[in-house]
Amino acid sequence: MKPSHAANDNLEDDLIRRTREVWQPRLGRDLSREDARQIAENMTGFFSALAEWSRAELPSPANDTGTPDASENGEVRHDR
């Protein structure tokens, strides 16, 4: 027996319905199901890019300088 995808279909239907509710008044015209699907997909992509950029801008931890420690490249410090 194949697994039911009804739950995913319901979520997608809800997303399309909500997208149409939000965007139709702003655009001043009726949106087709395909219009709403494309808007939802584009918005998802947009916010995914913003999240990726935000993660890329996070500062590195203080103990992670990105360069190998002297002990990792075979050097030994004797000044301590």
Side-chain angles (χ1 to χ4, degrees):
M1 179 188 329
K2 282 186 160 183
S4 171
H5 297 292
N8 286 340
D9 290 345
N10 287 340
L11 287 174
E12 184 175 332
D13 288 344
D14 288 345
L15 176 62
I16 298 299
R17 180 190 51 76
R18 183 67 179 133
T19 300
R20 290 173 85 178
E21 285 176 6
V22 169
W23 285 95
Q24 277 184 163
R26 287 165 175 76
L27 296 174
R29 65 179 180 90
D30 286 339
L31 292 178
S32 70
R33 186 172 172 77
E34 178 61 15
D35 291 336
R37 186 200 62 77
Q38 288 181 7
I39 290 170
E41 187 175 305
N42 290 338
M43 295 303 296
T44 300
F46 174 74
F47 284 104
S48 293
L50 288 180
E52 185 178 325
W53 294 343
S54 179
R55 284 189 300 272
E57 291 178 351
L58 290 176
S60 297
N63 61 351
D64 182 18
T65 61
T67 58
D69 189 87
S71 62
E72 292 178 18
N73 64 12
E75 296 178 19
V76 176
R77 292 183 61 177
H78 296 287
D79 59 343
R80 294 186 199 184

